[in-house]
Amino acid sequence: MGSQVQRKPRILCLHGFRTSAEILKKLVLRWPATVLEKLDLVFLDGPYPAQGKSAVEGFFDPPYYEWFQANQDYTEYTNFEECLAFIEDYMIKNGPFDGLMGFSQGAVLSAALPGMQRDGVALTKVPKIKFLILISGAKFGGSKFGHHKLTSTAFSSPLECPSLHIIGEMDTTNTKPESTALLESFVDPFVINHPKGHTVPKLDEKSTEVMLRFIERIQKTMPTDEE
C-alpha cells in the first residue's frame, strides 16, 4: 500500500492594478515560513502593460501591468473578456491550479471567477476553483465597481467556495465597507483584519493562526497523492 501524501495547494496569484507578479511575490514572501511552506504559489503578470502612471512608482521597479481597464466610475470595462481568456489559457498550459489569490484588481477579478465559472461564462475548460485568498478585495456590483455583463450573476447567491479575506483598516482604495460587502457574498469566510492601508500586510501571530486554519480547511478540498 502506498502512503498518502498531502500535496500543497497550487495557487495562481493575481497582482494589483499597474503592479506586477514580481511585486506581489516580494510582498507575499514576507509571510512566515510556516505559511509559505504549505503553499505552491505561482505569480502571473497581467496581459496588458500599464496604460498610465503606477501608484507604486518609486517604491517598486517597473515594468507594471494591468488585467483590464475601466472608465472613471467603473461602469464600463475594456479587455475584460480578453483577460479571462488569457488567465484560462495560462491555467490550461501551466495547471492544474487549486485556488486563486488576488490583491486589489487581482482580488476583484479572483472574487468573481468562482461564480462566473459556476455560470459557465469563464474558466469553463479548467477544474473548479476550490478556494480564494482575497487581499484588499471588492465586488463587481458593489458600491465602487459596476457589473460587467459576465459578472452580473456571479454573486447572485452566496458562494460556497472557501475564502480568506485580508482587509486593511485604513484602506482608502478598496475600503473596509467594500471588502466587508465582498466577504458577505461567501459562506463561512475566514477574515484577517490588519491596521494598515491598501497593501499586502505582513502576518502577525494572530493573522498567521487564521491563515494556518484556512490552509487546514482548504487541505480538506484537496486530493491526496499516493506514493
Side-chain angles (χ1 to χ4, degrees), residues 91-215:
M91 292 176 86
I92 290 167
K93 289 175 179 163
N94 300 277
F97 289 94
D98 302 298
L100 300 171
M101 175 160 69
F103 168 66
S104 192
Q105 189 185 40
V108 175
L109 187 55
S110 297
L113 281 168
M116 292 165 70
Q117 190 180 41
R118 176 203 64 211
D119 295 344
V121 296
L123 304 189
T124 56
K125 299 173 190 157
V126 295
K128 183 180 174 183
I129 296 165
K130 299 185 184 77
F131 60 86
L132 300 172
I133 297 172
L134 304 171
I135 309 163
S136 290
K139 66 189 273 193
F140 287 108
S143 56
K144 179 176 179 178
F145 296 95
H147 271 302
H148 182 276
K149 63 183 179 185
L150 295 183
T151 69
S152 58
T153 59
F155 300 105
S156 56
S157 57
L159 290 155
E160 301 276 351
C161 182
S163 61
L164 169 65
H165 303 253
I166 302 178
I167 299 173
E169 196 64 44
M170 306 302 289
D171 195 330
T172 56
T173 304
N174 290 337
T175 61
K176 191 173 180 185
E178 282 157 6
S179 288
T180 303
L182 175 63
L183 75 89
E184 287 167 357
S185 300
F186 289 83
V187 175
D188 297 332
F190 284 61
V191 185
I192 291 173
N193 289 293
H194 65 90
K196 295 191 181 298
H198 194 68
T199 188
V200 179
K202 292 180 179 177
L203 299 179
D204 61 16
E205 198 175 334
K206 186 180 171 193
S207 302
T208 300
E209 280 173 23
V210 176
M211 179 68 85
L212 290 172
R213 280 209 319 275
F214 181 70
I215 293 170

Side-chain angles (χ1 to χ4, degrees), residues 13 23-32 36 39 41 43 101 135 200-201:
C13 305
I23 293 168
L24 181 57
K25 185 177 182 179
K26 277 181 183 165
L27 294 168
V28 169
L29 290 185
R30 303 181 306 170
W31 289 354
L36 295 174
L39 304 173
L41 301 172
F43 296 86
M101 175 160 69
I135 309 163
V200 179

Side-chain angles (χ1 to χ4, degrees), residues 9 40 87 96:
D40 178 9
I87 291 170

